[in-house]
Amino acid sequence: MLSLQPIIDRIKAARVAGFERDWFRQVAGAAEFAKLATATALPLPACYVVRAADPAKAVGERRDTVTVAFDVVIAVTNLRTATAGETDDALLRYRTAVYQLLRGWRINDSSTPIALEGGQVIEYTDGDLWWRDRYSLSTEINNYLPAPPAFANVQNTNVNHGATL
């Protein structure tokens, strides 16, 4: 019950030192991630933010605490080069940069700081490497109506049309 768009926007707009020319060529959400048919047409490196889970716990009659877990999927080129471990080093650079952008950041005033839960490989192919890091945060949601606007003045609309009381 919390939009992940601010996280996508934060990664997309990042100006990270050391990535002036090779930041993610694509940063997107679940819909774009789901449309991936072949990695050969992808503009790598790429990053996708995908909702993983959001279990809730009641904390009042109309309030719940929701723990939002999401994956940051990072795809980098995996090509054989003269330097051993080059792909792993590239992946580590991107993971570290995203970690520094997200770890401890609050998506809004009512959320806890974002925390890293760990990561794992999704897929290695001859041309690319897919990795996901899971992050989480907690926030409170409620079923209350917003507060009415502040009271400004009284306007008497009772018009006496000749009736006597």
Side-chain angles (χ1 to χ4, degrees), residues 59-77:
V59 292
E61 183 180 333
R62 295 176 184 256
R63 294 181 304 133
D64 296 288
T65 298
V66 177
T67 300
V68 178
F70 60 93
D71 292 334
V72 175
V73 178
I74 298 173
V76 295
T77 304

Side-chain angles (χ1 to χ4, degrees), residues 73-128:
V73 178
I74 298 173
V76 295
T77 304
N78 183 27
L79 299 174
R80 185 179 184 137
T81 63
T83 308
E86 188 174 333
T87 299
D88 186 60
D89 289 345
L91 175 64
L92 185 57
R93 282 182 65 227
Y94 285 103
R95 290 183 64 211
T96 300
V98 170
Y99 173 83
Q100 290 172 344
L101 283 171
L102 298 182
R103 176 70 169 88
W105 180 60
R106 291 177 183 261
I107 195 168
N108 61 39
D109 291 340
S110 65
S111 75
T112 61
I114 294 174
L116 175 68
E117 292 185 9
Q120 72 181 60
V121 69
I122 296 175
E123 180 177 73
Y124 279 107
T125 70
D126 188 30
D128 52 48

Side-chain angles (χ1 to χ4, degrees), residues 9-57:
D9 294 343
R10 184 171 177 88
I11 296 170
K12 191 180 289 190
R15 300 293 175 249
V16 180
F19 288 94
E20 289 80 8
R21 295 177 10 170
D22 60 347
W23 190 238
F24 296 115
R25 294 175 67 199
Q26 180 173 20
V27 179
E32 294 82 3
F33 183 69
K35 290 182 180 181
L36 299 176
T38 62
T40 57
L42 285 179
L44 297 181
C47 177
Y48 301 91
V49 178
V50 182
R51 185 176 309 275
D54 58 1
K57 178 182 176 187

